[in-house]
Amino acid sequence: MREFSVVGKDIPRPDAWLKATGKAVYTDDIKLPGMLYGKLLRSPLPHARIVNIDVSKAQALPGVKCVITGQDIPKVKYGNWRLFPATQDEYALAIDKVRFVGDEVAAVAAIDPDIAAEALQLIEVEYEELPPVFDIESALKEGAPVIHEESPNNVSVTRKIEYGDVEEGFSKADYVREDTFTVHAVSHAYLEPCSTVAQCDLDGRITLWTSTQTPYIIQCLLASTLEMRENDVRVIKPYVGGGFGGKMELRPWEFCAAFMAKLTGRPVKFTLTREEELATGRRRHPMVIYSKVGFKKDGTLVAKDLKISLDGGGYNSMGPTATFLCGNFGAMLYRYPNYRFFGQHVYTNKPPAGAMRGFGAPQSLFATETQMNMAAEELGIDPIELRIKNAMVEGDVIPDVATISSCGFIDSLKEAARMSNWKKKRKSLAPGEGIGVGCYSFISGGVFNWFNTQYPFSAAEVRVFSDGTAHLLTMASDIGQGSDTALKQILAEELGLEMKDIRVTSADTAVTPQADLGTWGSRVTLMAGNAVIDAAKKIKEKLFGAVSARFNLNVIYDMECKGGRVYAKGRPDRGMSFGEAVAMVQKAQRGEPLVARGYYTPRGKGLVTPAFSFGAQVAHVAVDQETGKVEVKKIWTAHDCGTVINPMAAEGQLEGSIHMALGYALSEQFVMDKGKTLNTTFLDYKIPAAMDMPQSKSAIVDTYEPEGPMGAKEVGEGLVSPTAPAIAEAVYHATGYRCKDLPITPEKILKGLRDTKKRKRKRS
Amino acid sequence: MGLPKFNYVAPETVQEACQILEKLGGQAKVMAGGTDLLIKMKHGALRPKTIVGLRKIKELRKISFRKNQGLFIGAMALLEEVASHPKVKKLYPAVAYAASQTATVQIRNMGTVVGNICNAAPSADNIPSLMAFGAELIIASPNGERRILLENFFKGPGEVNLNRGELVKGVLVPPPPEGSGVSYQFISQRSKVDIAAVCVAAMVVIDKGRTRDVKIVLGAVAPTPIRALEAEGLLRGKKLADRSIQKAAEQASQEARPITDMRATSEYRRLMVAVLTKRALLEARQMALAS
Amino acid sequence: MMHKISIKVNGDLYVLSVEPWKTLNQVLREDLNLTGTKLGCGTGDCGACTVLVDGRSVTSCLTLAVEMDGKEILTVEGLAPAGEELHPIQRAFVEKGAIQCGYCTPGMELSALYLLKNNPSPSEAEIREALSGNLCRCTGYNKIVEAVQWAAKELKAEKSKSTRSK
Ligand SMILES: Cc1cc2nc3c(=O)[nH]c(=O)nc-3n(C[C@H](O)[C@H](O)[C@H](O)COP(=O)(O)OP(=O)(O)OC[C@H]3O[C@@H](n4cnc5c(N)ncnc54)[C@H](O)[C@@H]3O)c2cc1C
Ligand code: FES
Ligand code: FES
């Protein structure tokens, strides 16, 4: 392994002290002179035709400066799958129909938020109700109400993967099991509600500050929906209070703020309420997952047949990607010689599901991992042994999916078993306690270009100065995960500088180099990291040239940047300070500053991703046999994320993932009634609190990813998948209740306990 | 989320407050900590024209104990103050415990026990144990004061026995009888920090090995907190053996009239009444025997 | 009707006219431009808006500004002692990786301060309980708990130093 000076260290994030002192500026903290406040009118009905909208009373309210409806805006649909315009199914404000409770119908901008809210009450909308559908089954029925004319069967996207011969595979199996799993919707519940501020300058150009993960995507889609040129729209990402996939599309308030800023000539701000976020916001896809797997007697997998239906809600949102990915994740972790997947994205009259941390993996892997645990029991093989037997290894190729260029899966399994004392605990826990395992694999960025970007996937510009400092410009978006810090670390490492020597400017589409697809799919470290290294290498070539000329070095000398100096490797005296070297280059260029751009676009890496992370997790639970309440006592994780850029940050990603997955497994759920979300506060949408969080112990398995920057892979998303199946297995171990429909509730456990007792009585 | 518009007045005496309430009637709402009231207003469930804030009435912040009269908790005593009050902790541990388990630190620093009572949520954490102790409310009006047993105060969810011009001055909790124990138990399904899906308080007085008195109070399983009178009847005058505790617990579960809502189904609630009643009786017995 | 109030925020006196329906959170963020105090829900559930009023932690989104007349308010902007960049709690949050997106951070720090003032040596369970009115979606809380433990040690060391030097 390579020795690093800055990479691999617990470096506190440079932005942390701004956040600790309350000085970090988030979008809603921005106030501009003359700014108006916007609010959205949303549909109270799940499915209806808009017959008429009368805004005259709202317009007449003193203080109201602008009211718009779908009739006022350019008729341009948008959606992130720009490559396939047929999937773009949304208008910023509903034009003909509303398709879920919360669908945006009109917008108001006023001098004060209270007045804007009052004006909403004065807008009169006449609807003609249409029959709604709320679940996959009814949406797929013959004669079901059609939600989008373009998809008469309510299926908007399908995807198939097939390799080997599944039927033949099953014919050779000694043991086959078929199960259907259902998983539910959950909220990103980022703590910062969406917020946006738009300003229109004198020549009509738009600047938008917005809480987003994808400034470049917002820039492009905003330009097309406003019918403007891309370069006339500037998107700036201030500090963002979490995203988790929920802030990666153009959203109606961003459009409305910009559109109304143009109309009024005044800045316009929209900030959603938590109630809006929970009642109408994007969510993780509920899915119905049918999975059939076949094994040999000794536990060797022979085939898998996977059919997934995604409940997409009223619009496509990021559903097409989720449909694509859940099938890929179904093929991961284990070597399935024969594999078939069919996925379909189904419209229903509910708030659309979108991208959420894990992007198809938590659902798909809940099924995979639970089924592995069930099979292990029936085959009489230890669940970890069964996994090791079938585990993917470096060099494995999955047709149409990927090549595994580095893989620490088996080591992760072994390490998780060792740390948790698996063998012993599996046999000798106190009554009511249980232990279970779950695993994951995840992508380090997508190779697919459904956004149809005309630019590299990631870009970086590095400027260096004779005072020994550097300036990194990148469109990569830090939304709290710490990419500004990681990229700074990578640059510091490459240039041999310290963190404090580097200034970072990120995520401003008018200033940072084109382009970056944003923060999702765990792509930032790998892709933007590689772009930074590319730029740094170009800078170093120049510096090496200058130093080499100055000391008249033989061309065979290797050179390096380290400790603030540039010198011949092994001959530190043949060198100079970083700043002096920059000055020399600049002199040689007759004043032209030393600047370089770096790019990264994955090529020849299959259809999915350049690199996969892997990991295994063990959960220990105690279940109160009378109340059915589950306490997760401890979680052990061993994972392979390649070179760790910042261990403290990696652990933070792990613990954050456990938190989110704990909610997914046990406490978070939308309560819906006829398409309406009933639990719209954090009092009733229950994300775990500090007291609910278990202890966490982790180990990082040592691997080096050849495609990653300095060997790194993803660490931010995959970890959200193993927890739910691990807890479900632990609960089964403790009680005999097997969860195939998330979440695991005390009520289901009590019923399971009663059933177990009955079964035992029958047997005896 | 913004609040609707309203007027605000902050009288300095109880008398003055009652007069304002008398004058404004249904258009005014009393506010203690506001942690229930303001939320309901933000959600649009309430739109009072005037809020009568009690903050400036100094005497209402009081918590005091007198041997013969018992404990007085003033209408503005914070949940946190009740939870940490040494006398309450020592003599009324279930009252202190219930207050300490209500909401979060910040809400306990704002909200009051009396507000929790007057809000009359079936799930209110502070009502069952106070009812089990036989607490009374002191109600002030422009013409003087009256007292009402806490268990007679509730009419339905959010509805209480208060007339025009009246407000609650405080709760009076009688001194705990010799040989008594009171336990408070609650459960929420989803998180350790949550509104109770079911809550139960049990009080027993054990005298020469027999149950001289017993009260079982169930919360969140009926429109108001209720006594499980038949379950109590199974125990009164008897030895408090494990078997009879189990029977009483099952009986209590029959007396509950739970509904299904966001927090739990009625079936689960019914099951939990039995479990929590049993646990409460067991703990109360232990406390009684140790006293 | 407007009400005249005078409040001390982070030691500075402000005399303001406020409408009765304005919350302390709105007054801090909109009138005083103290935007370090966040708004995550507006219903008392998340704690992002936590400030201290006369030393007690409260959620500013459920506190009426009219009721703050004569009170002393501490927000994240006033946390660091005069002349210093960071309060030990803030330093602990920075050093221990307790901050990711940072949206919960100001509220968390004030809840931590309230805890440590009342209980200088809290157990881990007490810390978790004391922070349970503050939601964080990024960190999983464990690093925050570690930061509070570390800050408690620092504060005690500081205190014993200053008493010894007296
Ligand atoms: C985040 C959060 C969590 C919560 N968790 C819990 C919980 O776990 N358990 C629980 O039980 N509650 C919980 N609550 C509800 C609430 O905090 C409590 O009910 C609290 O005790 C109410 O007290 P208050 O002083 O704020 O009441 P207020 O809101 O001021 O008043 C409540 C009602 O009582 C009336 N009222 C108040 N005082 C008087 C009086 N003296 N005379 C006549 N009427 C009066 C008011 O008009 C109003 O209708 C929670 C609330 C929040 C915001
Ligand atoms: S914003 Fe006040 S508690 Fe969430
Ligand atoms: S750091 Fe993002 S919510 Fe806590």
Side-chain angles (χ1 to χ4, degrees), chain A residues 86-341:
Chain A
T87 63
Q88 297 186 299
D89 59 0
E90 227 172 328
Y91 292 112
L93 294 173
I95 288 191
D96 48 344
K97 264 175 53 159
V98 289
R99 295 180 173 86
F100 69 95
V101 175
D103 211 349
E104 292 82 0
V105 172
V108 174
I111 55 169
D112 158 303
D114 290 346
I115 295 176
E118 206 180 322
L120 290 186
Q121 316 267 324
L122 300 176
I123 300 177
E124 289 162 10
V125 189
E126 196 186 319
Y127 294 104
E128 176 198 327
E129 284 194 52
L130 298 170
V133 281
F134 299 122
D135 57 72
I136 292 170
E137 206 187 325
S138 348
L140 293 178
K141 269 208 190 104
E142 193 80 25
V146 175
I147 298 175
H148 290 266
E149 304 307 319
E150 298 78 3
S151 305
N153 59 352
N154 290 325
V155 174
S156 65
V157 175
T158 58
R159 160 142 169 104
K160 289 189 183 120
I161 304 176
E162 185 160 8
Y163 53 83
D165 183 333
V166 175
E167 303 311 333
E168 184 172 325
F170 282 122
S171 73
K172 290 194 182 130
D174 300 317
Y175 167 67
V176 176
R177 67 170 306 126
E178 283 174 81
D179 298 284
T180 301
F181 300 89
T182 58
V183 290
H184 62 305
V186 288
S187 170
H188 307 86
Y190 35 70
L191 219 57
E192 179 209 16
C194 286
S195 180
T196 201
V197 180
Q199 188 177 39
C200 183
D201 66 18
L202 285 178
D203 52 11
R205 293 198 173 88
I206 290 288
T207 302
L208 188 84
W209 291 263
T210 192
S211 177
T212 188
Q213 313 175 212
T214 51
Y216 167 66
I217 290 181
I218 306 302
Q219 179 199 6
C220 298
L221 295 179
L222 192 55
S224 64
T225 48
L226 291 170
E227 296 183 319
M228 288 170 71
R229 297 176 301 184
E230 250 168 47
N231 192 29
D232 289 339
V233 174
R234 172 183 186 185
V235 175
I236 301 174
K237 177 205 69 73
Y239 282 105
V240 172
F244 311 112
K247 297 177 178 171
M248 60 172 291
E249 303 164 60
L250 177 69
R251 303 304 303 278
W253 46 92
E254 292 169 322
F255 171 85
C256 291
F259 190 70
M260 293 203 282
K262 279 185 81 152
L263 289 183
T264 60
R266 293 170 70 165
V268 179
K269 179 199 274 188
F270 278 79
T271 299
L272 298 199
T273 63
R274 179 58 57 186
E275 199 174 13
E276 282 181 292
E277 285 282 3
L278 286 171
T280 70
R282 301 295 202 229
R283 33 197 80 188
R284 181 179 284 155
H285 280 92
M287 297 186 190
V288 176
I289 305 171
Y290 161 87
S291 178
K292 177 175 171 186
V293 278
F295 294 83
K296 287 281 190 202
K297 249 201 247 69
D298 68 355
T300 309
L301 273 164
V302 292
K304 177 167 178 172
D305 190 9
L306 184 65
K307 295 194 184 92
I308 301 185
S309 298
L310 295 85
D311 182 346
Y315 295 94
N316 269 329
S317 176
M318 298 305 300
T321 317
T323 310
F324 177 84
L325 284 176
C326 61
N328 295 330
F329 292 124
M332 287 305 299
L333 286 176
Y334 310 109
R335 308 168 113 178
Y336 301 101
N338 308 291
Y339 179 79
R340 184 165 63 199
F341 166 71

Side-chain angles (χ1 to χ4, degrees), chain B residues 1-10 31-36 38-39 42-43 51-56 61 78 80-81 100-101 103-110 193, chain C residues 1 3 19-23 26 39 41-47 50 53 56-64 66-69 71 107 111 114 129-134:
Chain B
M1 237 180 290
L3 283 163
K5 297 182 179 171
F6 55 85
N7 297 314
Y8 176 84
V9 287
M31 185 170 110
T35 62
D36 275 318
L38 296 179
I39 301 260
K42 283 191 172 189
H43 290 315
I51 284 187
V52 182
L54 301 183
R55 244 173 223 262
K56 290 209 173 135
R61 188 78 179 254
L78 301 177
E80 192 60 39
E81 290 168 333
S100 78
Q101 296 301 303
T104 62
V105 179
Q106 294 95 316
I107 300 298
R108 291 197 291 276
N109 274 332
M110 307 163 74
V193 193
Chain C
M1 216 197 52
H3 292 247
E19 289 157 324
W21 55 87
K22 292 288 177 193
T23 63
Q26 287 171 307
L39 185 75
C41 68
T43 49
D45 305 311
C46 77
T50 303
V53 174
R56 275 186 189 278
S57 62
V58 303
T59 54
S60 62
C61 70
L62 280 188
T63 301
L64 294 184
V66 275
E67 297 209 317
M68 292 297 102
D69 188 29
K71 306 265 179 212
S111 284
Y114 177 73
E129 145 85 62
L131 297 181
S132 279
N134 294 77

Side-chain angles (χ1 to χ4, degrees), chain A residues 684-710:
Chain A
D684 279 310
Y685 183 87
K686 265 295 160 202
I687 78 170
M691 278 202 281
D692 299 312
M693 216 13 225
Q695 273 186 16
S696 154
K697 277 262 173 304
S698 67
I700 287 171
V701 167
D702 194 7
T703 61
Y704 189 93
E705 169 57 46
E707 186 64 20
M710 303 180 176

Side-chain angles (χ1 to χ4, degrees), chain A residues 456 458-464 470-475 487 490-497 502 513-514 526-544 561 578 582 593-601 709-710:
Chain A
S458 281
E461 180 172 311
V462 175
R463 306 175 183 169
V464 290
H471 185 180
L472 168 63
L473 295 101
T474 162
M475 221 184 267
L487 296 178
I490 290 173
L491 184 62
E493 187 69 53
E494 272 302 314
L495 296 183
L497 298 177
I502 297 171
Q514 266 60 34
L526 187 137
M527 299 203 184
N530 278 332
V532 169
I533 291 179
D534 186 33
K537 289 222 159 100
K538 292 175 186 165
I539 295 274
K540 278 159 67 173
E541 269 318 303
K542 289 271 172 79
L543 297 176
F544 292 164
C561 287
F578 186 86
V582 173
L594 180 47
V595 177
R597 285 203 168 174
Y599 300 102
Y600 179 77
T601 301
M710 303 180 176

Side-chain angles (χ1 to χ4, degrees), chain B residues 17-25 28 30 52 164-167:
Chain B
C18 291
Q19 277 160 358
I20 295 172
L21 289 170
E22 169 108 324
K23 204 172 101 204
L24 300 178
V30 175
V52 182
R164 189 170 178 140
E166 287 187 328
L167 65 79

